[in-house]
């Protein structure tokens, strides 16, 4: 079972974004673990998972799990366009020894409740008994997963234990605080209220670049304003900016992202450095 503060980790890339930067996985995981986080979610939205092919996703999952320190959880996002691909990725993550599997609803098609239920159930069964989490993010999947589907999923599979919820504002997040399920807060702006209302923890994209700052917020230690940090990064292409910040913080991560995401321009890079210097 996941707990506490987790980073939605970037995926290290090389070759202009065309290949995995295998040498960078160990130092990235070491940086995140050394900053006080309890674990990471690999290959999610921040990790560009949906842009990588199946072989790359499997290899990246292997590298993240191999780099795992003791007591540091590795959850692997396995959501894909088809049920077959999702099942294959979930089974692979379980075979690797991942601590959890998460799956977002497939984008593009408007799936009805039965289709969603069958998709999530197939993915959960493929990784059983590894804990399975639904990744709810309507802005990326194109729709919200109905709570009624989640209720049926609990009846169908024994390893469905919770959700990562990235919906905002609060009135879109709150319906997923379902008794008996562990909910992890995605939006940094909702961390305080989410934890107060019973969320089990946080899975933050901001934490890939600012891990100790997110840990402080989860532990209720005074620290920087996370919304300000998020807004600062989102002035720029987020994935490239997060990787640039990691490089500035001493992690050997290159700014490369997978197209159609793009790198920073020279002007953006200079502006990002000025913003970092002002913190």
């Amino acid at each position: 079972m996941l707990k506490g503060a987790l980073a939605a980790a970037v995926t290290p890339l090389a070759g202009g974004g065309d290949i995995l930067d295998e040498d960078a996985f160990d130092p990235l995981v070491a940086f995140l673990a050394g900053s006080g986080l309890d674990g990471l979610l690999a290959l999610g939205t921040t990790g560009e998972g949906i842009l990588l092919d199946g072989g790359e996703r499997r290899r990246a999952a292997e590298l993240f799990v191999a780099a795992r320190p003791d007591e540091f959880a590795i959850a692997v996002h396995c959501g894909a366009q088809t049920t077959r691909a999702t099942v294959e990725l979930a089974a692979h993550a379980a075979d690797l020894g991942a601590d959890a599997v998460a799956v977002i609803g497939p984008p593009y098609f408007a799936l009805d409740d039965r289709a969603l239920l069958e998709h999530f159930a197939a993915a959960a069964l493929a990784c059983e008994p590894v804990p399975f989490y639904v990744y709810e993010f309507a802005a990326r999947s194109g729709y919200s997963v109905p709570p009624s589907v989640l209720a049926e999923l609990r009846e169908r599979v024994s390893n469905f234990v919770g959700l990562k919820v990235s919906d905002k504002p609060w009135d879109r997040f709150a319906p997923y605080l379902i008794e008996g399920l562990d909910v992890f807060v995605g939006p940094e702006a909702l961390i305080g209220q989410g934890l107060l209302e019973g969320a089990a923890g946080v899975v933050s994209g901001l934490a890939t670049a600012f891990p100790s700052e997110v840990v402080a917020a989860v532990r209720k230690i005074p620290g920087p304003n996370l919304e300000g940090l998020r807004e600062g990064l989102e002035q720029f292409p987020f994935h490239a900016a997060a990787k640039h910040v990691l490089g500035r913080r001493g992690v050997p991560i290159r700014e490369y992202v997978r197209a159609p995401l793009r790198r920073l321009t020279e002007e953006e890079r200079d502006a990002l450095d000025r913003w970092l210097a002002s913190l």
Side-chain angles (χ1 to χ4, degrees):
M1 297 287 286
L2 302 179
K3 63 178 183 179
L6 291 84
V10 297
T11 299
L13 297 176
D18 289 337
I19 59 175
L20 298 177
D21 187 355
E22 297 201 4
D23 292 337
F25 282 78
D26 278 356
L28 172 60
V29 175
F31 169 72
L32 296 175
S35 299
L37 290 166
D38 298 295
L40 65 80
L41 172 66
L43 300 163
T45 304
T46 304
E48 304 172 63
I50 203 73
L51 299 178
L52 307 181
D53 67 33
E56 290 172 319
R57 293 179 70 170
R58 288 189 290 274
R59 181 57 179 156
E62 292 166 4
L63 291 165
F64 274 117
V65 170
R68 173 181 54 195
D70 292 340
E71 306 302 321
F72 188 79
I74 304 291
V76 179
H77 172 245
C78 298
Q81 188 68 67
T82 68
T83 300
R84 177 186 294 177
T86 303
V87 163
E88 290 173 352
L89 291 168
H92 176 260
D95 289 343
L96 282 180
D99 296 288
V101 166
V103 168
I104 197 171
Y108 191 79
F109 290 103
L111 302 176
D112 64 16
D113 290 7
R114 181 175 178 181
L116 275 176
L117 175 62
E118 295 299 330
H119 177 78
F120 288 129
L125 290 170
C127 67
E128 197 176 32
V130 173
F132 178 81
Y133 295 78
V134 170
Y135 179 12
E136 163 58 29
F137 197 1
R140 295 294 176 266
S141 63
Y143 52 82
S144 298
V145 177
S148 59
V149 170
L150 301 175
E152 291 188 64
L153 186 63
R154 293 177 75 178
E155 298 296 322
R156 287 275 295 273
V157 295
S158 61
N159 60 326
F160 170 45
V161 297
L163 305 96
K164 179 199 173 182
V165 181
S166 291
D167 294 346
K168 57 182 181 180
W170 178 254
D171 63 356
R172 296 185 62 187
F173 179 96
Y176 294 101
L177 288 168
I178 299 169
E179 185 176 356
L181 292 177
D182 283 352
V183 174
F184 286 80
V185 182
E188 290 82 18
L190 300 183
I191 287 175
Q193 188 171 6
L195 294 175
L196 186 65
E197 296 292 338
V202 170
V203 179
S204 161
L206 185 66
T208 198
F210 295 100
S212 59
E213 291 82 351
V214 173
V215 169
V218 174
R219 309 281 191 262
K220 299 181 181 179
I221 300 169
N225 180 279
L226 297 188
E227 293 179 68
L229 291 177
R230 168 66 77 165
E231 290 170 1
L233 275 189
E234 288 186 341
Q235 299 174 80
F236 313 99
F238 181 83
H239 294 77
K243 291 181 178 183
H244 183 81
V245 170
L246 281 165
R248 288 291 187 256
R249 303 193 82 173
V251 185
I253 298 287
R254 289 178 263 195
E255 191 187 298
Y256 296 134
V257 292
R258 177 62 55 87
L261 298 177
R262 70 166 178 86
R263 297 178 63 188
L264 304 172
T265 65
E266 286 298 333
E267 293 79 9
E268 288 170 335
R269 197 171 293 113
D270 290 343
L272 178 52
D273 284 337
R274 289 193 298 272
W275 174 73
L276 281 173
S278 73
L279 296 178

